[in-house]
């Protein structure tokens, strides 16, 4: 890949991350104001979402967790329909039935969002088996956190995927926090990638706040999964910059640790790199942020104008 194409990828990634950041900041502000549903923010983890999702093909499938906004927006989801869904409106992706914790977008290949910690890990095996039988060129990307890696379903799922040769890219977004508990209080090792060795599965840890590093690692991992039809574990090491669920006062976090991670802000790192390459100015970046903010304001207006579901629809789309 040429340096020119790399910079083009980085510029596109920065625009995508700016949109995600604007969305997360708007949602956090609305939740703090008290007139918006609680949501789990992924603010600070934008490079992981954009870096991986931007490398997937249109035929690939995604399963994600309760911090899903970044993955959805990176995949091309409409922020207006996302906000409408979170707000319980009819124009949401699931007609207002899922909120932020169970959202799916079939037309984008986003199979589901699981609010059960690690729930997507077990379901990814079934989706990958279906892909193997119905679409042999497609793979599955399964996003989860370090907390889910401490669940038994993580080990069961990786073992089964390895035994059955399932084309899954497992993406562990290790953000150092498991709800209100520090990762190092629940794990004796700092990295989760090493755990894949027990299942004869290749794995890699990468700087999850460097979108180019994530893109390069994801590109290679996806190519390997696609070619071998076997699973791969990619660990993106990042940090959750907000509390567990909005609105939440993250006073339990270490202020000094948070300050260090703020110096590694994924958007600022991408911005600085493009400025150093002469491909962006501070004014350009301010305009990019303004455009992202304007798009989110328009999305919020769309969501606010969306109607509430009719009472007669209460029993639609259910099994019994």
């Amino acid at each position: 890949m040429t340096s020119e194409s790399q910079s083009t990828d980085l510029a596109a990634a920065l625009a995508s991350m700016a949109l995600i950041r604007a969305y997360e900041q708007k949602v956090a502000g609305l939740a703090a104001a008290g007139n918006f549903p609680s949501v789990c923010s992924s603010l600070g983890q934008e490079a992981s979402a954009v870096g991986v999702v931007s490398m997937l093909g249109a035929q690939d499938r995604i399963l994600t967790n309760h911090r899903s906004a970044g993955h959805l927006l990176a995949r091309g989801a409409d922020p207006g329909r996302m906000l409408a869904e979170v707000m319980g409106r009819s124009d949401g992706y699931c007609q207002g039935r899922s909120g932020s914790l169970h959202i799916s977008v079939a037309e984008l290949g986003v199979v589901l969002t699981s609010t059960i910690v690690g729930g997507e890990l077990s379901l990814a095996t079934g989706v990958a088996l279906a892909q193997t039988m119905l679409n042999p060129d497609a793979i599955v990307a399964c996003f989860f956190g370090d907390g889910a890696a401490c669940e038994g379903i993580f080990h069961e799922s990786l073992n089964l995927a390895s035994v059955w040769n399932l084309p899954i890219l497992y993406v562990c977004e290790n953000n150092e926090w498991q709800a209100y508990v520090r990762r190092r209080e629940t794990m004796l090792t700092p990295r989760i990638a090493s755990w894949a060795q027990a299942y004869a599965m290749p794995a890699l840890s990468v700087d999850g706040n460097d979108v180019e590093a994530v893109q390069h690692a994801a590109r290679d991992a996806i190519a390997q999964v696609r070619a071998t039809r076997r699973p791969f574990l990619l660990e993106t090491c990042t940090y959750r910059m907000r509390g567990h669920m909005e609105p939440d006062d993250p006073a339990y976090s270490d202020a000094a640790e948070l300050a260090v991670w703020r110096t590694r802000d994924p958007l600022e790192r991408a911005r600085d790199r493009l400025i150093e390459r002469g491909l962006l100015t501070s004014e350009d970046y301010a305009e990019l942020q303004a455009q992202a903010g304007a798009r989110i304001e328009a999305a919020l207006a769309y969501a606010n104008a969306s109607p509430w579901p009719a009472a007669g629809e209460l029993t639609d789309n259910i099994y019994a």
Side-chain angles (χ1 to χ4, degrees):
M1 177 175 292
T2 66
S3 59
E4 181 179 351
S5 60
Q6 284 180 318
S7 295
T8 300
D9 286 348
L10 181 57
L14 178 58
S16 184
M17 291 194 295
L19 180 65
I20 296 169
R21 178 66 60 89
Y23 178 95
E24 296 279 26
Q25 288 175 331
K26 174 56 67 175
V27 165
L30 291 169
N35 191 28
F36 196 81
S38 296
V39 295
C40 293
S41 172
S42 59
L43 196 151
Q45 301 177 202
E46 297 88 353
S48 177
V50 172
V52 174
V53 174
S54 63
M55 296 294 105
L56 293 170
Q59 76 277 25
D60 298 329
R61 297 292 179 260
I62 297 173
L63 292 90
T64 180
N65 62 5
H66 49 286
R67 301 191 194 283
S68 63
H71 308 135
L72 290 161
L73 289 169
R75 188 62 165 175
D78 180 347
R81 293 191 66 188
M82 284 179 58
L83 285 170
E85 183 59 41
V86 176
M87 295 163 64
R89 305 302 181 93
S90 290
D91 291 322
Y93 276 111
C94 301
Q95 295 79 53
R97 286 170 164 77
S98 75
S100 67
L101 296 179
H102 298 280
I103 189 169
S104 63
V105 186
E107 58 265 41
L108 295 178
V110 181
V111 178
L112 60 84
T113 297
S114 174
T115 187
I116 303 299
V117 175
E120 67 277 20
L121 286 161
S122 60
L123 296 170
T125 54
V127 175
L129 181 60
Q131 292 288 77
T132 297
M133 294 187 289
L134 301 175
N135 191 353
D137 293 326
I139 74 165
V140 172
C142 179
F143 291 89
F144 60 99
D146 47 293
C150 291
E151 298 280 340
I153 196 63
F154 167 84
H155 301 278
E156 294 178 46
S157 299
L158 265 66
N159 180 66
L160 188 61
S162 185
V163 171
W164 282 3
N165 297 316
L166 297 178
I168 304 175
L169 175 66
Y170 290 106
V171 184
C172 179
E173 296 181 311
N174 186 344
N175 66 12
E176 298 294 330
W177 284 94
Q178 301 174 6
Y180 303 99
V181 179
R182 294 176 187 272
R183 174 203 51 78
R184 56 181 176 268
E185 294 179 31
T186 66
M187 295 168 48
L188 295 179
T189 56
R191 296 289 174 259
I192 290 152
S194 62
W195 296 1
Q197 183 177 359
Y199 308 108
M201 186 182 301
L204 178 68
S205 287
V206 66
D207 182 349
N209 280 23
D210 181 339
V211 71
E212 281 190 311
V214 177
Q215 284 183 321
H216 296 162
R219 181 185 294 114
D220 292 344
I222 289 167
Q224 183 169 334
V225 173
R226 209 179 299 282
T228 65
R229 315 308 293 169
R230 284 192 51 76
F232 189 107
L233 173 60
L234 177 63
E235 179 182 20
T236 60
C237 303
T238 182
Y239 198 82
R240 194 184 77 206
M241 306 296 284
R242 303 284 305 178
H244 172 56
M245 177 173 281
E246 303 288 354
D248 179 21
D249 177 11
Y252 49 83
S253 63
D254 186 325
E257 181 180 73
L258 180 58
V260 170
W261 278 95
R262 286 192 188 283
T263 67
R264 302 179 61 199
D265 184 293
L267 275 74
E268 294 178 2
R269 293 175 75 182
R271 175 203 63 191
D272 293 347
R273 199 168 291 171
L274 285 168
I275 290 175
E276 289 171 4
R277 296 174 186 173
L279 299 171
L280 188 78
T281 66
S282 297
E283 292 74 20
D284 293 333
Y285 182 63
E287 177 61 23
L288 184 67
Q289 290 180 302
Q291 291 174 355
R295 187 174 173 191
I296 296 305
E297 289 299 335
L300 181 60
Y302 171 87
N304 279 322
S306 177
W308 297 101
E313 300 174 5
L314 182 63
T315 58
D316 289 352
N317 302 317
I318 62 174
Y319 288 107

